[in-house]
Amino acid sequence: MNTEALDDASIAAATALQPIVQIAADAGLAADALEPYGRYQAKIDVDRVSREAPPGAVVLVTAMSPTPAGEGKSTVTVGLGDALAAAGHRTMIALREPSLGPVFGMKGGATGGGHAQVVPMISINLHFTGDFHAITSAHNLLAAMVDNHLHHGNALDVDPESISLRRVLDVNDRALRRIRLESGDGRSTGFDITAASEVMAILCLAVDRADLAARLARMTIGFARDGRAITAGDLGADGAMAVLLQEAFKPNLVQTLAGTPALVHGGPFGNIAHGCNSLVATTTARRLADVVVTEAGFGADLGAEKFLDIKARAGDCAPAAVVVVATVRALKMHGGIAVDAVGADDPGAVRTGLTNLARHLENVRRYGYQPVVALNRFGTDTEEELAVVEDYCASQGVRCAVTTVHAEGAAGGAALARHVTELLDAAPSYTPVYPEGADVEEQLDALVRRVYGGAGVEFSAEARRQLERLREHGWEKLPVCVAKTQYSFSDDPTLLGAPSGFTVRVRELVPKTGAGFIVALTGTVMTMPGLPARPAAEHMGVHDDGTVTGLF
Amino acid sequence: MNTEALDDASIAAATALQPIVQIAADAGLAADALEPYGRYQAKIDVDRVSREAPPGAVVLVTAMSPTPAGEGKSTVTVGLGDALAAAGHRTMIALREPSLGPVFGMKGGATGGGHAQVVPMISINLHFTGDFHAITSAHNLLAAMVDNHLHHGNALDVDPESISLRRVLDVNDRALRRIRLESGDGRSTGFDITAASEVMAILCLAVDRADLAARLARMTIGFARDGRAITAGDLGADGAMAVLLQEAFKPNLVQTLAGTPALVHGGPFGNIAHGCNSLVATTTARRLADVVVTEAGFGADLGAEKFLDIKARAGDCAPAAVVVVATVRALKMHGGIAVDAVGADDPGAVRTGLTNLARHLENVRRYGYQPVVALNRFGTDTEEELAVVEDYCASQGVRCAVTTVHAEGAAGGAALARHVTELLDAAPSYTPVYPEGADVEEQLDALVRRVYGGAGVEFSAEARRQLERLREHGWEKLPVCVAKTQYSFSDDPTLLGAPSGFTVRVRELVPKTGAGFIVALTGTVMTMPGLPARPAAEHMGVHDDGTVTGLF
């Protein structure tokens, strides 16, 4: 087979898609629950989806600490879903929507790869059904209403210097990171990318429309001079924001190359937010399928942690099984090999790098799960390198399967699917790493010591002040959402493997009262990416017949 | 009949819509030319629309100089379309897309009103099929690539101070009018509303995808230090912009309350741009119908002038008939009555105000057309007032019909439709007000003297310098697009009626080399609106069942 030579776009273009109405009908969706967006995409009216069957089991796909190129987590998620479907399970996949901005920088798409993709991949990676745009609009309407309130007399006595709400755009535009409003009150503010918007986090955590509206109203934009929190509700913006999100709140149905139904909905950042697809998509998928395969952002210390401690608590969707994606390449990087040299055969480095995988597996166990390792095979991997990982897992009593879904689609995920199937009947067994009601300081201490393997937490003077303010407002028991590098368990991206003894330094504690969590900023977390010197955009175009070229 | 008591949203909600596939089939569209967006909206693949039949006749709806509330031009356009369809003509309507931003300020929607609306009105007035968002994305990607080019060494030697490209958002956000890029090179720039983007004008004037791509590449973003124009093509951004506009370039099919097919596509500003729906929508409608009713922005001095001198020349779509919408209320305002008092009976003021209508009619005649007056009746109009206008038109040999399409739908436009029908067989008779190849100075002089009725043009020192630069680059023969108040023939909004002897002062001449025109800025033209003290947004919301409230 020489399919790896074909790029993702070519593989996708060579596959005949089924009409989305057919995918929906096969998934048991009533015709009147479907709103088609083109021939191959549709939004689902969740009120018309039956709630009668017991909800399907959730399979969470997470990963070891990744290389900058990523370990193929979305690809494994799609391939596993296809393999489970091929094995006869009523399966649905739930994924994040890609962010438009990075597509024009250097990143490829976020719809899987090779023979494990969700399609139509070009549309999904571009405007899709407009959800990101709706979030951009809702967020920026609120921002405009904040400055409009100041302009028209500031009846709420908002302290302009306290305004934490920035604006958002779904474009990688470094020049907008910090701007001064010369035609406004002259204060400095800036733009984040839309995936970092609190509105995105809200859309992804709301259980229903009433919850969505209530969360929007609770968003804190800043403080009055007397210390009162000023919310979107105080400004009367929440209703209009909900209007702008009316369609965006409906999950999007697409299909994989193998015809497995997939809900692709919501795309919050994995650091400043919780990094998983919308709760409403996960819940809807569970109503329609016996098994729902879904993905968490980055490595398990960030992604799985937030899925379990934030999303699963908010929406009662604890997984039945947890899959940890590992690659020989990432293991070599954690074993001391430079990232641009991980293609060279080095079983010793793989062995050394196992410390990273081991800690992630230990964490998954601490949360109450028997982890399954998906060893995602790349073309440069040798049999000996793969055997190092398989032998290690066997020695630890951990299920492990080499996956080749990129090259082979569902067949390449059959072994992984068999492992996962053995766990599906188990009841969710989530054991919290910090108890409900823990203070944010206690939460951070538990995460750093028990999940990251560090020595403790240190707060900047600013974070200390913010901690006091959180307590004054009674927000200190909201779950913490740690914004941290994905490359290390620590807050230092150069500490690979399984570092210990480090202290995590919290720069800021930002209350996201609509999302219902407190962002703890550590290290240098970027909320507005920039474009590289030669952006991918330079190679794109559209033929006169409408065919897009150069996108992936 | 008491339907005027119902608001637009209630009337729209009470009407059962036909599935868009049915509307399309009735209009003769092949099923494979249709891409549904929900059940009642679709994009059209224009390559799959037959070019065999002779193109339909264009009926252009324009207006006298309006009041701030507007004279119901879109409503008359929709009602006339419905009336022509009811009379047995194969009719299609072509309209601009509403801008999202103003919906949350104080303006209502832009989809007609009463019993003459295009629907689904809530969706069309919100995100619709995402065209505005695609334009926002394409424009802002270019802006990001400009600053990224500066950041990565500025190989093209762009003079940062010369950069005229701003950013855009579809939100009324006055605080963004002027911003300083503190994280970029520190220069000042700002945001316009998306309708003011040159990308919008380009999308609306391109005849096909090749023309779209070429126009995007020609967009001037600023100048190099040696004076060279720097274009989107120089930055390699044009292809990616075309990718972002791939779907947006396809016209959107919807229906009126009466089931008449309507293409709603593109929404350029009526001052800084040419203010009419896309050329591709007009052309597509002409392939599908015998009569196409379309609208130009603002009064005839701005809207019809730009339709005839810019759009019709770019796309060979000169109208067969021109309808001028007039109201008793606007006539009273031009007759000296304060705008908040135009509801009181005053036939004398109506008579005095006829000077404004008269000049518009004279202009339409100068362009080679017999105008038809649509006297759009409001509830406060008296028979005597209406008779003043009808008698005047009769005395001038001008066709005139009182229209009541808001209250009565198609029946209220039957008389107008009969007048229009008499003109449909005439060949388009467009006579230019300035010849092809006229210099921008000559063009402006012709417009001011012959169309506006003024004494001449005066250029600011800045405009003089820009004129020299236009000549250096060979752009001086591009058609001029005058950004002027819509309330007066002059550049002073307080000079009502038919002023004369005035001079129009041109502040700036901005080359829009992608759109293919030169914007002449006069007076104070706002390219980013602000919100009022109590934005309409404050009254909006979504019920738990998804129903939108308070939008109109």
Side-chain angles (χ1 to χ4, degrees):
Chain A
M1 244 172 121
N2 191 28
T3 50
E4 284 188 275
L6 283 175
D7 64 20
D8 294 346
S10 303
I11 293 172
T15 306
L17 307 195
Q18 296 177 48
I20 199 66
V21 291
Q22 188 59 49
I23 295 286
D26 292 349
L29 267 170
D32 68 353
L34 208 69
E35 299 176 11
Y37 275 63
R39 297 189 187 93
Y40 305 111
Q41 306 171 153
K43 282 201 166 278
I44 295 179
D45 182 347
V46 298
D47 293 336
R48 293 174 193 268
V49 178
S50 166
R51 290 157 200 257
E52 282 169 22
V58 174
V59 178
L60 177 66
V61 178
T62 183
M64 63 180 294
S65 305
T67 65
E71 309 324 303
K73 191 152 42 75
S74 301
T75 304
V76 170
T77 304
V78 173
L80 174 58
D82 284 341
L84 287 163
H89 295 277
R90 286 183 63 236
T91 307
M92 208 154 205
I93 295 162
L95 287 178
R96 280 189 292 180
E97 295 181 51
S99 172
L100 183 60
V103 167
F104 298 93
M106 51 182 143
K107 194 164 166 300
T111 45
H115 291 269
Q117 297 185 52
V118 283
V119 280
M121 61 94 82
I122 290 177
S123 171
I124 298 173
N125 278 296
L126 292 174
H127 308 290
F128 198 24
T129 59
D131 297 341
F132 272 54
H133 294 313
I135 288 162
T136 303
S137 294
H139 184 118
N140 290 336
L141 174 64
L142 174 58
M145 288 178 78
V146 170
D147 282 294
N148 192 56
H149 183 83
L150 299 181
H151 177 81
H152 286 292
N154 194 11
L156 292 168
D157 200 28
V158 180
D159 175 5
E161 293 304 310
S162 79
I163 296 172
S164 54
L165 185 81
R166 291 157 55 89
R167 286 169 174 80
V168 297
L169 270 181
D170 197 9
V171 60
N172 287 13
D173 192 345
R174 146 188 331 102
L176 291 178
R177 283 176 190 160
R178 212 177 62 254
I179 65 169
R180 182 175 291 277
L181 300 176
E182 296 189 317
S183 51
D185 64 355
R187 72 192 164 84
S188 285
T189 180
F191 280 75
D192 295 327
I193 195 159
T194 299
S197 165
E198 184 177 357
V199 178
M200 174 68 85
I202 287 171
L203 182 120
C204 289
L205 287 171
V207 298
D208 55 26
R209 286 195 187 276
D211 188 30
L212 177 72
R215 286 172 178 268
L216 291 170
R218 282 203 301 267
M219 277 181 76
T220 301
I221 62 95
F223 295 88
R225 289 202 176 82
D226 68 5
R228 276 174 301 128
I230 303 294
T231 65
D234 293 333
L235 291 159
D238 51 317
M241 294 170 75
V243 166
L244 283 164
L245 297 173
Q246 189 215 17
E247 288 296 311
F249 191 58
K250 300 174 182 169
N252 307 296
L253 178 68
V254 292
Q255 63 190 290
T256 69
L257 291 175
T260 308
L263 295 184
V264 177
H265 192 225
F269 245 31
N271 46 32
I272 201 165
H274 61 293
C276 5
N277 64 266
S278 76
L279 184 55
V280 68
T282 305
T283 307
T284 304
R286 295 179 76 194
R287 285 198 216 147
L288 291 164
D290 297 328
V291 193
V292 175
V293 187
T294 192
E295 181 188 353
F298 298 137
D301 53 325
L302 282 169
E305 187 273 313
K306 291 173 181 176
F307 185 95
L308 293 164
D309 293 330
I310 298 177
K311 177 174 170 173
R313 279 177 168 180
D316 187 25
C317 62
V322 178
V323 173
V324 180
V325 177
T327 64
V328 160
R329 300 160 67 92
L331 288 165
K332 281 187 275 194
M333 185 185 78
H334 287 288
I337 304 299
V339 67
D340 53 2
V342 294
D345 183 31
D346 193 338
V350 173
R351 194 168 293 112
T352 311
L354 284 170
T355 53
N356 183 272
L357 177 61
R359 187 174 290 171
H360 286 296
L361 296 176
E362 185 187 339
N363 287 338
V364 171
R365 283 201 178 103
R366 176 173 296 117
Y367 278 110
Y369 296 95
Q370 296 181 45
V372 180
V373 171
L375 183 55
N376 191 26
R377 182 167 192 164
F378 278 68
T380 51
D381 300 350
T382 64
E383 295 299 332
E384 192 183 351
E385 289 176 324
L386 295 164
V388 168
V389 188
E390 291 180 282
D391 292 349
Y392 170 77
C393 288
S395 75
Q396 300 293 309
V398 170
R399 292 174 177 83
C400 173
V402 175
T403 55
T404 53
V405 295
H406 189 283
E408 301 181 285
L416 178 64
R418 280 193 297 274
H419 282 318
V420 167
T421 305
E422 292 169 11
L423 300 168
L424 286 183
D425 294 331
S429 58
Y430 167 61
T431 309
V433 72
Y434 56 82
E436 198 86 48
D439 177 279
V440 64
E441 217 173 337
E442 295 163 358
Q443 293 177 41
L444 279 164
D445 192 72
L447 289 179
V448 172
R449 291 179 192 272
R450 303 186 63 197
V451 177
Y452 305 164
V457 191
E458 191 183 298
F459 293 87
S460 73
E462 173 75 3
R464 279 271 159 230
R465 273 193 300 275
Q466 289 166 328
L467 192 56
E468 283 318 300
R469 184 172 244 176
L470 291 175
R471 287 178 175 139
E472 284 163 21
H473 287 89
W475 296 331
E476 75 279 8
K477 294 180 180 175
L478 290 175
V480 71
C481 179
V482 181
K484 180 180 79 66
T485 177
Q486 68 265 40
Y487 298 119
S488 170
F489 279 106
S490 75
D491 59 356
D492 174 354
T494 66
L495 292 182
L496 302 183
S500 60
F502 59 85
T503 300
V504 170
R505 189 162 189 283
V506 174
R507 280 192 292 117
E508 286 199 61
L509 288 169
V510 186
K512 302 285 185 184
T513 48
F517 53 62
I518 295 160
V519 174
L521 291 166
T522 74
T524 48
V525 167
M526 186 64 69
T527 52
M528 172 54 93
L531 292 169
R534 305 305 307 262
E538 292 180 5
H539 309 291
M540 298 178 188
V542 180
H543 285 308
D544 292 352
D545 68 355
T547 313
V548 168
T549 61
L551 195 55
F552 300 108
Chain B
M1 242 174 124
N2 190 27
T3 51
E4 286 187 275
L6 284 175
D7 63 22
D8 294 345
S10 304
I11 293 172
T15 306
L17 307 195
Q18 296 177 48
I20 200 64
V21 291
Q22 187 60 50
I23 295 286
D26 292 349
L29 267 169
D32 67 354
L34 208 70
E35 299 177 11
Y37 274 65
R39 297 189 187 91
Y40 306 111
Q41 306 171 154
K43 283 200 167 278
I44 295 178
D45 183 345
V46 297
D47 293 336
R48 294 174 193 266
V49 178
S50 166
R51 289 158 200 255
E52 281 168 24
V58 174
V59 178
L60 177 66
V61 178
T62 183
M64 62 179 296
S65 304
T67 66
E71 308 324 303
K73 192 154 38 77
S74 301
T75 304
V76 170
T77 304
V78 173
L80 173 57
D82 284 343
L84 286 163
H89 296 275
R90 287 182 62 235
T91 306
M92 207 155 208
I93 295 162
L95 287 177
R96 280 189 293 179
E97 295 182 51
S99 171
L100 183 60
V103 167
F104 298 92
M106 50 182 145
K107 194 165 167 297
T111 45
H115 292 270
Q117 298 186 50
V118 284
V119 281
M121 63 94 83
I122 290 178
S123 171
I124 298 173
N125 279 297
L126 292 174
H127 307 291
F128 198 23
T129 59
D131 297 340
F132 272 55
H133 293 314
I135 288 161
T136 303
S137 295
H139 184 118
N140 290 336
L141 174 63
L142 175 59
M145 288 178 78
V146 170
D147 281 294
N148 192 56
H149 183 82
L150 299 181
H151 177 81
H152 286 293
N154 194 10
L156 291 169
D157 200 29
V158 179
D159 174 6
E161 293 305 311
S162 80
I163 296 172
S164 54
L165 185 82
R166 291 156 56 89
R167 287 171 173 79
V168 298
L169 271 180
D170 197 8
V171 59
N172 287 13
D173 191 345
R174 103 169 38 73
L176 291 178
R177 283 176 189 160
R178 211 177 62 252
I179 65 169
R180 180 174 292 278
L181 301 176
E182 296 189 317
S183 50
D185 65 354
R187 74 192 162 84
S188 285
T189 179
F191 281 74
D192 295 327
I193 195 159
T194 299
S197 165
E198 185 177 355
V199 179
M200 175 67 86
I202 287 173
L203 182 121
C204 289
L205 287 172
V207 297
D208 55 26
R209 285 196 189 276
D211 188 31
L212 177 72
R215 285 171 178 268
L216 291 170
R218 282 202 301 268
M219 278 180 76
T220 301
I221 63 94
F223 295 88
R225 290 201 177 82
D226 68 5
R228 275 174 302 129
I230 303 294
T231 64
D234 293 333
L235 291 159
D238 51 316
M241 294 168 77
V243 166
L244 283 164
L245 298 173
Q246 190 215 16
E247 288 296 311
F249 191 57
K250 301 174 182 170
N252 306 296
L253 178 68
V254 293
Q255 63 191 288
T256 69
L257 291 174
T260 309
L263 295 184
V264 177
H265 191 224
F269 245 31
N271 47 32
I272 201 165
H274 61 292
C276 6
N277 65 263
S278 76
L279 184 55
V280 68
T282 305
T283 307
T284 304
R286 294 179 76 194
R287 286 200 215 145
L288 291 163
D290 297 328
V291 193
V292 174
V293 187
T294 192
E295 180 187 353
F298 298 137
D301 53 325
L302 281 170
E305 187 273 314
K306 291 173 182 177
F307 185 95
L308 293 164
D309 293 330
I310 297 177
K311 177 173 171 174
R313 279 177 168 181
D316 188 25
C317 62
V322 177
V323 173
V324 179
V325 177
T327 64
V328 159
R329 300 159 68 94
L331 289 165
K332 280 188 273 194
M333 185 185 78
H334 287 287
I337 303 299
V339 66
D340 53 0
V342 293
D345 184 31
D346 193 338
V350 173
R351 192 167 295 112
T352 309
L354 284 171
T355 53
N356 183 271
L357 178 60
R359 185 173 290 170
H360 286 294
L361 297 177
E362 185 187 339
N363 287 337
V364 171
R365 283 203 178 102
R366 176 172 297 116
Y367 279 110
Y369 296 94
Q370 297 182 46
V372 180
V373 171
L375 183 54
N376 191 27
R377 182 168 192 164
F378 278 68
T380 52
D381 300 350
T382 65
E383 295 300 332
E384 193 184 349
E385 290 175 324
L386 294 165
V388 168
V389 188
E390 292 180 282
D391 292 350
Y392 169 77
C393 289
S395 75
Q396 299 295 310
V398 170
R399 291 174 177 84
C400 173
V402 175
T403 55
T404 53
V405 295
H406 189 284
E408 300 182 286
L416 178 63
R418 280 193 297 274
H419 282 315
V420 166
T421 305
E422 291 169 11
L423 299 169
L424 286 183
D425 294 332
S429 58
Y430 168 60
T431 309
V433 73
Y434 55 81
E436 198 86 47
D439 177 278
V440 62
E441 217 174 338
E442 295 163 359
Q443 293 177 39
L444 278 164
D445 192 71
L447 289 178
V448 171
R449 291 179 192 273
R450 304 187 62 195
V451 177
Y452 305 165
V457 192
E458 190 184 301
F459 293 87
S460 72
E462 173 76 2
R464 279 270 159 229
R465 273 193 300 276
Q466 290 165 327
L467 192 55
E468 283 317 299
R469 182 171 246 178
L470 291 175
R471 288 180 174 138
E472 284 162 21
H473 287 89
W475 296 331
E476 76 278 7
K477 293 180 180 176
L478 292 173
V480 71
C481 180
V482 181
K484 181 181 78 68
T485 177
Q486 69 267 39
Y487 298 120
S488 170
F489 280 105
S490 75
D491 57 357
D492 174 356
T494 66
L495 293 183
L496 302 183
S500 60
F502 59 86
T503 299
V504 170
R505 189 162 189 283
V506 174
R507 281 192 292 115
E508 286 198 60
L509 288 169
V510 186
K512 301 285 185 184
T513 49
F517 53 63
I518 295 160
V519 174
L521 291 165
T522 74
T524 50
V525 166
M526 186 63 70
T527 53
M528 173 53 95
L531 292 169
R534 304 307 306 263
E538 292 181 6
H539 308 292
M540 299 178 188
V542 180
H543 284 310
D544 293 353
D545 69 356
T547 314
V548 167
T549 60
L551 194 55
F552 300 108

